[in-house]
Amino acid sequence: MRTAKTKGASPAGRFRSGWQRLLIMFLGALLLLSAGCAGKEKPSGAAAVPLEYATGFRIEQLEGGSYLVTDGEGRRLLLLPRGRQAPAQYAGLTRVETPVRRVVVNSTHEAALLRALGELGSIVGVTEKEERWHIAEIKEGMKQGRIRLVGSGMAPLDYEAVMALKPDLVFTYTGFPDTVQVVRKLEELNLPVAVENSHLETDPLGQLEWLKFMAVFYGKLDAADRYFREAVKQAQDVKATVERAGSRPRVLWGIIFEGKCYIPAGESYAANMISLAGGEYLFRDVKGTGTTTVSLEEFYARGRQADVFVLSSLPEGRVSIAGLVKQEPRLADLPAVREGRVWCFQPWYYQSFDRIVEIITDLAVMFHPELFPGAEPRHYLRLPAGDR
């Protein structure tokens, strides 16, 4: 999920918190399923940087340390080392001087990817309030005034505040209602903008591979490639470990909001994470790549088979199974709920996608604790029985 005047997708935020944000994201995800990644450019003939899992962007290397980048909205950007003149054939493209030194991020995903690159210090503007951050460097930067809030909640991006920061680049995303207008407005203001749409990838490693997209603006492609290759190796190790298990626990994943059940579709990144971690997703047969809805009857019917229930929500408002059942009394009949096998996301979940392998490993630990003795999930919270 993202955060923004968008984030989390939404006109609000790729990664805002709480039910409202989740609903916005779910609804937005429904829309983006049909939107897909339209607008991809054809290869220019320059040397393309190979991508293994990601499908939503393209990087082509030119001579002299320059790059052509096709972002998540199909826009082509010319990246030039500082002081270098643009080749005549690319004169019409948006130019970005690299490495960028001052950036605004419109989602927590982007901040997380910059953490992996060691570039959190380049962030001068964010769209999440200080108290909602779980990345210490950003909290401290906001406290000291080095990082400014340029929009928050359901409010639109504060374009005047963004302009005042004089950023080299604004990272934002699309795929949710009104998010393309953010891109258009930034273009209208002559602010360089790059669309980072990692959230549209269906492979969790594809989401992480957007690290390379971010890295090229910092001249750190090699570092990103090393980070990514190590992550792939670790993910393969987890997959090999869970393949030793004698069974695959059945997993219910979703949330009920205002009488509707929102679940990941069978080809979504969440469904693929469950599979990588050695689980059997109970809605794997549902077509699609994003979030969709099923009837309450279907959710409960399949949920009764679940060995593990992952409530796709931050813990706000439901810090125990008792609290969950109080909000959704019908869940009390599910065996996974009765027997305490319910997990939700930790508050920092949506700020941890640079650590996607840890997230996958956590699922493996939850599904197959016998294979990971002593390990405890870091990004999921097991709901206690509790009394609220």
Side-chain angles (χ1 to χ4, degrees):
M1 299 175 173
R2 300 196 159 215
T3 277
K5 305 34 301 9
T6 18
K7 286 161 153 262
S10 65
R14 256 190 229 196
F15 309 80
R16 296 200 172 295
S17 62
W19 288 97
Q20 185 178 52
R21 171 168 59 179
L22 287 168
L23 179 60
I24 289 167
M25 292 174 46
F26 285 140
L27 295 175
L30 288 173
L31 294 177
L32 66 83
L33 284 179
S34 59
C37 294
K40 302 293 190 304
E41 295 290 335
K42 295 179 179 178
S44 67
V49 172
L51 301 176
E52 298 176 56
Y53 296 87
T55 61
F57 70 95
R58 180 180 175 86
I59 301 172
E60 299 164 78
Q61 187 169 13
L62 306 176
E63 293 181 354
S66 300
Y67 290 89
L68 276 177
V69 173
T70 304
D71 71 7
E73 196 57 33
R75 303 162 59 252
R76 300 182 82 197
L77 307 174
L78 177 63
L79 278 56
L80 294 168
R82 292 181 179 277
R84 188 178 179 85
Q85 295 297 312
Q89 64 267 40
Y90 303 123
L93 298 182
T94 297
R95 302 180 210 173
V96 179
E97 289 194 324
T98 60
V100 292
R101 297 166 179 161
R102 297 172 58 83
V103 303
V104 170
V105 294
N106 201 15
S107 86
T108 54
H109 266 204
E110 291 149 10
L113 293 176
L114 291 184
R115 173 170 58 190
L117 294 172
E119 292 292 348
L120 288 173
S122 68
I123 297 175
V124 295
V126 297
T127 55
E128 193 77 42
K129 293 180 179 178
E130 179 189 335
E131 60 267 27
R132 304 205 67 85
W133 282 101
H134 295 274
I135 297 176
E137 293 89 339
I138 294 182
K139 287 183 77 73
E140 185 62 23
M142 296 185 77
K143 189 173 297 182
Q144 295 180 359
R146 290 186 288 101
I147 300 175
R148 299 288 186 178
L149 186 66
V150 293
S152 186
M154 297 294 291
L157 195 66
D158 185 340
Y159 296 105
E160 289 189 5
V162 174
M163 292 180 67
L165 291 173
K166 297 181 169 52
D168 296 326
L169 187 66
V170 178
F171 287 112
T172 189
Y173 60 89
T174 59
F176 298 96
D178 301 329
T179 47
V180 170
Q181 287 92 315
V182 173
V183 179
R184 299 294 172 251
K185 182 63 177 180
L186 291 168
E187 290 176 330
E188 179 185 320
L189 296 172
N190 291 318
L191 287 168
V193 54
V195 178
E196 179 278 306
N197 274 349
S198 59
H199 65 291
L200 296 180
E201 299 289 344
T202 59
D203 191 308
L205 292 175
Q207 292 199 356
L208 180 61
E209 198 165 20
W210 277 79
L211 181 69
K212 297 177 182 176
F213 175 82
M214 305 290 282
V216 72
F217 293 94
Y218 292 87
K220 287 193 167 181
L221 263 180
D222 288 344
D225 189 61
R226 287 193 298 273
Y227 186 101
F228 182 71
R229 287 185 181 284
E230 178 60 25
V232 171
K233 178 182 178 303
Q234 292 174 2
Q236 291 171 340
D237 288 346
V238 172
K239 183 179 180 183
T241 298
V242 298
E243 284 177 348
R244 299 203 304 266
S247 62
R248 298 176 71 85
R250 292 160 297 191
V251 180
L252 179 67
W253 183 300
I255 193 170
I256 303 172
F257 183 72
E258 294 187 348
K260 292 186 177 180
C261 298
Y262 297 88
I263 62 163
E267 299 166 65
S268 65
Y269 91 92
N272 288 326
M273 281 203 306
I274 293 169
S275 180
L276 274 172
E280 178 186 339
Y281 179 42
L282 287 169
F283 286 97
R284 188 69 168 177
D285 61 318
V286 173
K287 302 295 183 185
T289 58
T291 300
T292 188
T293 58
V294 295
S295 68
L296 286 168
E297 292 73 17
E298 182 73 3
F299 190 79
Y300 291 125
R302 298 202 190 191
R304 294 185 65 80
Q305 307 171 45
D307 298 302
V308 176
F309 177 18
V310 178
L311 185 68
S312 53
S313 168
L314 302 178
E316 298 169 347
R318 59 189 82 72
V319 293
S320 68
I321 288 179
L324 172 67
V325 171
K326 184 177 181 180
Q327 291 183 355
E328 305 292 341
R330 291 161 291 190
L331 293 174
D333 293 333
L334 302 186
V337 174
R338 288 202 310 267
E339 296 164 18
R341 300 188 300 273
V342 182
W343 301 76
C344 70
F345 301 156
Q346 290 281 14
W348 52 85
Y349 186 86
Y350 295 119
Q351 299 177 24
S352 304
F353 275 68
D354 55 325
R355 298 169 179 172
I356 193 73
V357 177
E358 288 185 3
I359 292 174
I360 295 170
T361 304
D362 281 356
L363 292 175
V365 171
M366 293 154 53
F367 301 161
H368 303 284
E370 74 282 1
L371 297 176
F372 303 88
E376 292 290 338
R378 290 154 287 188
H379 302 285
Y380 296 88
L381 171 67
R382 187 168 192 165
L383 293 185
D387 55 5
R388 66 186 180 91

